[in-house]
Structure formats: C-alpha cells, structure tokens
Amino acid sequence: MDDRLTRAEEQIAHLTRIVEDLSDVTSAQARDLARLTRLVSLLMEREAEREMQAGGTIPLADQKPPHY
C-alpha cells in the first residue's frame, strides 16, 4: 500500500511539473503572439502610408487580388 501511494505521489509531482512547464510555454507564446500582432499592424499601417505617398489610389492591402 505504501509503495502505491509513493508512486501516485511521484506521478502527481511529475504531472504538476509538466503542467507548470506548459503554462510557462503558453505564456511565452501569448506574449510573442501579442508582440507579433502589434508589429504586423504597425507594418501594415506604415506600408499603407507609403503607398498613399507614392501616389497610389487604394492601398495595396485593400485591393482585391487579380483573380477576383
């Protein structure tokens, strides 16, 4: 009985560690995703401004692709 309890406690400790590691990975990915989303948004705005300054009528990001 004591051996089963020890194994169960070891498994719980192992699973707890895995959950904590996965939580850390998920948090890092969420931060990266938020940062990259902001970066893409800034780049899209910058490109739209550049296209408008170059004399384009409609920003390329808002134009329909040629196959439509």
Side-chain angles (χ1 to χ4, degrees), residues 30-48:
R31 283 190 306 272
D32 289 344
L33 182 59
R35 182 180 59 82
L36 291 171
T37 300
R38 284 191 311 270
L39 180 59
V40 167
S41 177
L42 289 172
L43 290 172
M44 292 294 289
E45 289 176 16
R46 185 182 298 169
E47 181 61 19

Side-chain angles (χ1 to χ4, degrees), residues 10-53:
E10 288 173 353
Q11 285 181 334
I12 290 171
H14 179 69
L15 292 173
T16 300
R17 174 61 188 249
I18 289 173
V19 168
E20 290 171 357
D21 290 346
L22 288 174
S23 178
D24 293 343
V25 169
T26 302
S27 295
Q29 287 178 341
R31 283 190 306 272
D32 289 344
L33 182 59
R35 182 180 59 82
L36 291 171
T37 300
R38 284 191 311 270
L39 180 59
V40 167
S41 177
L42 289 172
L43 290 172
M44 292 294 289
E45 289 176 16
R46 185 182 298 169
E47 181 61 19
E49 288 173 7
R50 188 180 67 83
E51 287 176 1
M52 291 302 286
Q53 289 175 354

